[in-house]
Amino acid sequence: MIIIVNIALLLIDFQNDDYSTYQDAQWALSGTEAAAWKAATLLTAFRQQGLPVIHVRHEFVLNDAPFFLLGSEVEKAHYSVAPINGEL
């Protein structure tokens, strides 16, 4: 019997705009710092094992967007789980 397992870490919306500790956050959520700590732990493990990591960010292209404004610092990935070269 051959078992093939495909695994990847999918990090969705770990963006500055969601963090109450980020000075310019427009849409801060509760518990984001704790979630980022857990995600960073998983991210480190996946990187150490050479497993694929995929980062997903949402962004608005309208200038009057309420959050995740394209090209702004708030729509970028939080430093604790930011992608490195080679990660999607």
Side-chain angles (χ1 to χ4, degrees):
M1 174 191 271
I2 297 175
I3 298 175
I4 299 174
V5 177
N6 292 320
I7 187 169
L9 178 62
L10 183 61
L11 298 170
I12 302 173
D13 289 349
F14 283 92
Q15 293 170 255
N16 289 327
D17 219 0
D18 290 334
Y19 290 80
S20 60
T21 55
Y22 189 79
Q23 180 179 350
D24 296 324
Q26 298 293 312
W27 208 259
L29 304 172
S30 64
T32 50
E33 285 78 11
W37 180 85
K38 291 177 182 180
T41 301
L42 284 171
L43 179 57
T44 298
F46 270 68
R47 285 175 174 166
Q48 288 174 344
Q49 295 178 47
L51 295 169
V53 177
I54 301 167
H55 301 263
V56 177
R57 291 182 300 120
H58 286 91
E59 52 194 34
F60 280 101
V61 295
L62 303 173
N63 288 335
D64 60 348
F67 51 92
F68 297 152
L69 179 61
L70 179 63
S72 68
E73 288 298 312
V74 295
E75 68 95 18
K76 291 183 179 177
H78 191 261
Y79 73 91
S80 63
V81 291
I84 59 173
N85 286 340
E87 292 177 349
L88 301 174

